[in-house]
Amino acid sequence: MFSGLGRFVVRRPWWIILAWVVAAGAVISLAPKLTSSSDEASFLPDHYESIRAADVQEKEFPKQQNIGAIIVFQRSDGEKMTAADSADVVRISKDLQGRKIDEVRAIVPGEVSPNKLVQTSVVAMPKITTPEDTAQQDAVKQLRTDLKPELKGTDLTAGITGSAAQALDESDASQRAGLLVGVGTIVIIIVLLLVIFRSPIIALLPVVLIGLISPMATGLIASANKAFDMKADSSIQELLTVVLFGVGTDYILFLLFRYREALRAGEDPKGAMVHAVERVGEAITSAAGAVIVAFAALTLSSLGMLRSMGPALAIAVFVTLLAGLTLVPAVVSLLGTKVFWPSKSWQHEPQGTGFAKLGGAIARKPAVWVVISGLFMGALALGALGYKANFDLAGSSLPKDKESMVALDNLQKGFPAGSTDPTSVYLTSTSGKPLTEVETKAFRGRLAEVGGVGEVAPARLSPDRATASYSAVLADPPASDKALATVKDRLRPAAHEDAPAGTEALVGGTTAVYVDINKAVDRDYSVVFPVAALAIMVILGLLLRSLVAPWYLMLSVALGFGATLGATSLLFQQIGSQPGLMFMLPVIMYLFVVALGTDYNILMVSRLREEAREGRAPHDAAGTAVRHSGPTIGSAGVILAGTFATLMLAGNSTLSQMGFSLSFGIAIAAFVMAMIFTPALTALIGHAAWWPGHGDEKRDGHDAAAAAETPGDVNDRAP
């Protein structure tokens, strides 16, 4: 099939290129804009308690204002606030409210903190109903502009924090991150390809071709989001960039290395490209299939952000696969050997390379290399025991010098850390009778006694007095482990147990959302991980016609995943002293490392099978496969790891964690797992690795495994 596809593309390159240009133009012009959301609550299913509590607020307190932002005042000299300072706070708040800024319903000055160091004004805003709405961010931007002249002539300094302010700062940081990631990705690809091939044409080839399909893939994703009402996490655009350029460059490299090898064997340029598509097409398709089904497994997640991310990345990889099998061969077949200009190194295979030496060493002592690589990954995996989840997607990902973060630190000098985002508790009558004053006061008193709760405001009753709303300020930051433990282990149980007879209590708010997300993620681990692994194993089994190989190949990627999570935990939690890793990082890491790591395993094992079919014994076949596939996998691994590493340029701890873990995971997958562990273990298992099929038999019917295994360095074999 792939041989026929290669011949079809090589014979009609201009038609293939024209078809891609027309398709890209149509998709880009007709597709809606890709929007994203960082509103964690919008990603949870309706049956979680925090979402049910939000529904109660919408129904019973539709006009209740949310704390959209908080203006934090303090003296510029750091001394205690005076009566004159408080008068300035009241005046400034009144002046700002008088400006009638859109989305600002009220600006209410609060009391001075007990230690007299801080005073706040609460900015009331309506509840956000559409995650992509930026009106409240615009309001904060205007407030910051108007606040500066108001402070002149006073002894005060002030900053604005709160959810809307953090969303604004996160948006600004994300725009910078997107630019840095995009530019960094392209620069890394160009530089590395120049080093590898010493050809400016090859260096620019992925940038031009993927630059064409990238907006096309984005358009298809946006159309799918609109058609199926999916939401995308705010980091999806940066991920799309690195996935498209990273995976796309990988597939281009797979083809070019095999194309160059066919040219060295004496084939003409067009025949060499047909040969490359024939030999690599199945491996690329299987590898892309593994990535696609792994990403598609995210549709089983409880969280909307992961359910949307999965199909989006799957679409991107599918488009990249189609381009790798059609557009890339068409362009290269037109260029012929000029694609390598001005380098002449494509004409002769270098002798005595590091990959040839590594292959020879693995062929001679595969058991030693299995133990060394296995122990290395296993030792790193021990670091995963210290993993902690962090649920603060906004605050924890922002640089500490952003105004919302500085103001938050100042706020905590005088008030409980939970002041910026109180937890909501709703007490609703289920008997049809209105709540009594005795019931509401007693319930408030019980909530105030819960450990970790700083204070509880008096109840606000709905018009029919059937529901009471309480605002509970926690003693710890809303996304901290202590705050989550307060809601999960103490506040919710107390509210449920002490609700008067004939009533029901629900605990909502941001911290409650994080608690429910934690529960959803634990559920996803038990569903998404095994489904993705099973789907990849099925693909491996079909590709290799074996029931044995898929098991040890998945063992290798499991070790790679454990090593990656362990190294990331050690770097960011132990060395970097961060409170934890982004809560969905293990899921993303698992899918990327397992799926993309399987790409390299597939390429290596496919080549190993090919060498076995040529009559080589298991040890010799493994060594020769490393010799020939090592440069391809090594180059692809360096480039893909480099593209993921550009996420660390964003100055955003969430993207930095993602960038390091994915780049480190790809490096482990390429240089330890696929290049050492997998071929060495396959050599040890020998013919049994292909049971019950005969994948390593010679094409003329002779069993390669039956050939006498003679010692010898793979360097002595012809390519």
Side-chain angles (χ1 to χ4, degrees):
M1 181 182 79
F2 291 101
S3 177
L5 175 63
R7 286 193 298 271
F8 178 84
V9 171
V10 167
R11 289 172 183 170
R12 301 168 181 83
W14 286 111
W15 286 106
I16 297 295
I17 295 170
L18 178 62
W20 271 96
V21 172
V22 171
V27 170
I28 295 169
S29 61
L30 297 175
K33 182 182 178 182
L34 179 64
T35 58
S36 63
S37 170
S38 58
D39 178 15
E40 292 89 348
S42 68
F43 298 123
L44 279 170
D46 294 340
H47 66 271
Y48 282 96
E49 183 172 342
S50 58
I51 305 304
R52 291 164 56 205
D55 292 339
V56 170
Q57 178 189 334
E58 284 290 307
K59 180 181 177 182
E60 303 296 342
F61 304 94
K63 296 183 179 180
Q64 179 176 327
Q65 303 292 346
N66 294 306
I67 300 178
I70 297 177
I71 307 174
V72 182
F73 296 91
Q74 61 179 350
R75 284 184 60 88
S76 54
D77 57 10
E79 297 297 321
K80 293 183 178 181
M81 300 278 290
T82 65
D85 295 328
S86 294
D88 285 332
V89 170
V90 173
R91 175 187 59 78
I92 292 172
S93 301
K94 184 177 180 181
D95 288 348
L96 291 176
Q97 182 170 336
R99 294 177 183 268
K100 306 294 183 183
I101 299 172
D102 289 343
E103 295 295 305
V104 175
R105 297 291 181 264
I107 301 179
V108 182
E111 298 295 327
V112 181
S113 64
N115 60 9
K116 305 294 184 181
L117 293 178
V118 179
Q119 186 170 357
T120 63
S121 284
V122 174
V123 182
M125 294 180 173
K127 180 178 176 61
I128 297 177
T129 55
T130 54
E132 61 270 16
D133 185 4
T134 61
Q136 293 193 4
Q137 297 178 32
D138 295 336
V140 172
K141 186 182 296 185
Q142 187 61 48
L143 278 172
R144 286 176 173 173
T145 301
D146 294 342
L147 179 61
K148 291 179 181 178
E150 293 284 348
L151 293 170
K152 290 182 179 179
T154 71
D155 295 321
L156 301 174
T157 61
I160 302 179
T161 188
S163 58
Q166 286 187 343
L168 172 62
D169 290 342
E170 184 184 24
S171 176
D172 291 341
S174 295
Q175 289 179 4
R176 174 177 173 271
L179 178 63
L180 285 172
V181 168
V183 173
T185 298
I186 292 173
V187 169
I188 283 178
I189 289 174
I190 291 175
V191 170
L192 291 177
L193 286 177
L194 276 173
V195 171
I196 294 167
F197 287 98
R198 297 188 290 279
S199 166
I201 296 176
I202 290 180
L204 293 174
L205 189 64
V207 176
V208 175
L209 296 184
I210 300 169
L212 170 66
I213 67 172
S214 178
M216 182 180 178
T218 302
L220 290 173
I221 293 166
S223 298
N225 284 354
K226 183 177 181 181
F228 298 102
D229 191 28
M230 298 188 299
K231 301 180 180 69
D233 176 55
S234 57
S235 63
I236 188 66
Q237 192 63 61
E238 287 77 18
L239 267 181
L240 278 176
T241 299
V242 295
V243 166
L244 284 164
F245 278 93
V247 174
T249 303
D250 267 12
Y251 295 164
I252 291 174
L253 282 176
F254 292 171
L255 277 168
L256 285 177
F257 271 98
R258 201 55 186 257
Y259 176 62
R260 186 176 66 178
E261 185 179 329
L263 289 173
R264 286 171 174 171
E267 295 200 38
D268 66 276
K270 291 190 179 295
M273 180 50 67
V274 173
H275 175 88
V277 173
E278 177 188 4
R279 293 301 178 95
V280 182
E282 184 181 27
I284 289 179
T285 302
S286 301
V291 177
I292 289 170
V293 298
F295 288 155
L298 286 175
T299 57
L300 301 175
S301 171
S302 300
L303 298 174
M305 69 178 77
L306 294 180
R307 283 201 308 273
S308 298
M309 182 186 295
L313 297 177
I315 289 171
V317 173
F318 180 72
V319 173
T320 305
L321 170 65
L322 292 181
L325 293 176
T326 58
L327 181 61
V328 176
V331 173
V332 175
S333 68
L334 285 175
L335 294 171
T337 57
K338 293 184 180 67
V339 75
F340 299 106
W341 180 88
S343 174
K344 302 293 185 182
S345 62
W346 63 270
Q347 298 175 353
H348 306 285
E349 181 181 10
Q351 298 299 314
T353 65
F355 294 107
K357 293 177 182 177
L358 175 62
I362 290 175
R364 287 190 296 271
K365 297 181 178 179
V368 172
W369 289 98
V370 168
V371 172
I372 291 174
S373 56
L375 287 177
F376 174 74
M377 292 188 287
L380 284 177
L382 294 176
L385 298 175
Y387 163 76
K388 291 183 180 179
N390 179 31
F391 296 88
D392 187 2
L393 291 186
S396 68
S397 65
L398 284 173
K400 297 303 180 184
D401 59 351
K402 285 292 185 180
E403 181 174 333
S404 60
M405 302 305 294
V406 174
L408 180 61
D409 289 340
N410 291 333
L411 175 70
Q412 294 175 11
K413 294 177 182 178
F415 291 102
S419 301
T420 59
D421 207 340
T423 292
S424 301
V425 182
Y426 297 96
L427 183 67
T428 302
S429 172
T430 57
S431 63
K433 299 179 181 179
L435 297 173
T436 66
E437 185 176 350
V438 173
E439 289 176 328
T440 57
K441 285 186 175 180
F443 188 68
R444 178 197 175 198
R446 180 65 189 97
L447 295 179
E449 294 173 357
V450 174
V453 174
E455 57 184 41
V456 180
R460 297 180 63 228
L461 293 173
S462 60
D464 60 1
R465 302 184 64 84
T467 302
S469 170
Y470 301 87
S471 180
V473 175
L474 303 183
D476 303 291
S480 65
D481 288 341
K482 290 183 178 179
L484 267 65
T486 296
V487 170
K488 177 185 176 183
D489 300 331
R490 295 187 291 277
L491 184 57
R492 270 185 175 169
H496 296 164
E497 293 169 7
D498 295 324
T503 66
E504 178 189 39
L506 296 173
V507 178
T510 300
T511 305
V513 168
Y514 292 144
V515 170
D516 290 339
I517 286 178
N518 194 11
K519 187 187 301 182
V521 169
D522 288 343
R523 176 261 179 199
D524 288 350
Y525 288 160
S526 64
V527 175
V528 176
F529 280 22
V531 168
L534 180 62
I536 292 174
M537 286 185 68
V538 169
I539 289 176
L540 289 171
L542 293 174
L543 171 67
L544 303 174
R545 285 89 170 170
S546 166
L547 294 178
V548 176
W551 286 99
Y552 70 79
L553 292 178
M554 289 306 295
L555 169 64
S556 69
V557 294
L559 279 172
F561 166 76
T564 303
L565 181 58
T568 307
S569 298
L570 289 171
L571 178 64
F572 287 95
Q573 293 179 195
Q574 305 301 322
I575 300 175
S577 300
Q578 291 192 10
L581 303 181
M582 178 181 61
F583 70 90
M584 62 180 179
L585 186 61
V587 177
I588 297 173
M589 189 190 305
Y590 174 82
L591 294 170
F592 272 93
V593 173
V594 169
L596 296 177
T598 302
D599 275 14
Y600 301 141
N601 266 346
I602 287 175
L603 193 68
M604 178 60 73
V605 174
S606 295
R607 186 58 188 253
L608 195 152
R609 179 182 62 180
E610 185 179 325
E611 297 299 332
R613 285 174 173 173
E614 296 294 328
R616 291 180 170 87
H619 286 210
D620 201 7
T624 307
V626 172
R627 173 189 175 184
H628 286 301
S629 293
T632 309
I633 293 174
S635 301
V638 167
I639 289 176
L640 188 57
T643 56
F644 279 125
T646 59
L647 291 171
M648 300 176 69
L649 299 173
N652 174 317
S653 65
T654 297
L655 289 177
S656 293
Q657 291 175 8
M658 193 179 300
F660 172 80
S661 63
L662 297 182
S663 60
F664 185 84
I666 294 301
I668 288 287
F671 293 97
V672 179
M673 183 180 75
M675 208 174 293
I676 298 175
F677 187 82
T678 293
L681 190 55
T682 304
L684 277 180
I685 297 174
H687 179 62
W690 310 100
W691 184 87
H694 305 282
D696 60 339
E697 285 188 354
K698 290 183 67 174
R699 293 176 186 255
D700 61 5
H702 297 290
D703 190 349
E709 185 173 342
T710 57
D713 193 330
V714 293
N715 297 346
D716 299 330
R717 291 196 175 270

